[in-house]
Amino acid sequence: MARPPGNFGGRGIERKNQLSTTYATTNEFEWWAESFSAYMMGRPDLADPDLVKLIEELLDEAANA
């Protein structure tokens, strides 16, 4: 089974056991896509808490750019 990287994008995010879907275990790209989709659909509880924090930081940066 493919696993997302241990240091996603150089930000020190490591995959936890909590995944949004089984498909998220396909590879690191699907892990990101499924987690981001869950977050954007109002289900951040289904995504890794560290990834939720990153998503919020990125959205904040984009909003203030």
Side-chain angles (χ1 to χ4, degrees), residues 2-8 14-15 19 24-25 27-29 31-32:
R3 296 186 188 277
N7 189 356
F8 189 78
E14 294 187 24
R15 182 182 72 90
L19 295 170
T25 64
N27 60 44
E28 63 271 15
F29 305 107
W31 173 76
W32 167 262

Side-chain angles (χ1 to χ4, degrees), residues 2-24:
R3 296 186 188 277
N7 189 356
F8 189 78
R11 300 206 184 229
I13 294 176
E14 294 187 24
R15 182 182 72 90
K16 310 286 191 295
N17 289 331
Q18 180 178 354
L19 295 170
S20 53
T21 66
T22 304
Y23 191 64

